[in-house]
Amino acid sequence: MACNDIYYMNVALEQARLARLKGEVPVGAVLVSGTGKILSRAYNRPIGLNDPTAHAEILALRDGGALLGNYRLTDATLYVTLEPCVMCAGAMVLARIKRLVFAASDPKAGACGSVFNIPDCNRLNHRVAVTKGILAGESRALLQAFFRERRGNRPFA
């Protein structure tokens, strides 16, 4: 585990905490250039934006592409607090990011090794290197607390 991975994942966790404060599922993302510059930060906003595609990853990729003036983000690394879904993993392949680093796995909908493995699909034209588990405990605890609050502390709802 690289020190930089921990630093940037902590920045992503800050974004996830902002999502939680807004009543959104607490997922945060940070897009980092090959030189280590933060290009964009985002948190889940589908409720606030009335947009089912407003996942943290998508928003970070959009902002990063706009900043660079290019939809190809070939040297970038995306840090995300939860394993990306199919939509987000597909967007990463299309953006041709170099690397994905995520915290907690998503055994129900994860598309980066749990349910599907979009970043390493040999039928697609690009592969994304994946590192998983960086600060997974912190991310998982944040998600569990959010859903516990939403359920009103009932075990299942």
Side-chain angles (χ1 to χ4, degrees), residues 86-106:
V86 171
M87 173 183 69
C88 294
M92 288 176 229
V93 169
L94 294 173
R96 292 169 176 78
I97 67 168
K98 184 175 187 174
R99 185 169 173 243
L100 163 69
V101 179
F102 70 86
S105 294
D106 185 350

Side-chain angles (χ1 to χ4, degrees), residues 9-130:
M9 190 58 74
N10 272 311
V11 176
L13 281 164
E14 289 172 12
Q15 292 296 301
R17 289 182 192 99
L18 289 173
R20 183 180 179 190
L21 290 173
K22 304 272 186 179
E24 303 273 5
V25 175
V27 176
V30 178
L31 185 67
V32 179
S33 74
T35 62
K37 177 184 176 192
I38 293 178
L39 300 171
S40 59
R41 306 165 198 241
Y43 57 86
N44 267 6
R45 295 181 62 201
I47 297 167
L49 295 177
N50 297 308
D51 179 356
T53 69
H55 290 192
E57 302 95 318
I58 298 295
L59 297 174
L61 291 171
R62 283 180 186 161
D63 290 348
L67 178 71
L68 296 176
N70 195 338
Y71 74 97
R72 289 190 176 181
L73 306 169
T74 55
D75 287 330
T77 296
L78 186 64
Y79 291 83
V80 187
T81 59
L82 180 65
E83 180 180 359
C85 69
V86 171
M87 173 183 69
C88 294
M92 288 176 229
V93 169
L94 294 173
R96 292 169 176 78
I97 67 168
K98 184 175 187 174
R99 185 169 173 243
L100 163 69
V101 179
F102 70 86
S105 294
D106 185 350
K108 293 182 180 179
C112 300
S114 290
V115 178
F116 300 102
N117 196 358
I118 302 296
D120 195 37
C121 180
N122 64 6
R123 299 183 78 182
L124 299 175
N125 65 339
H126 179 73
R127 307 287 172 290
V128 177
V130 176

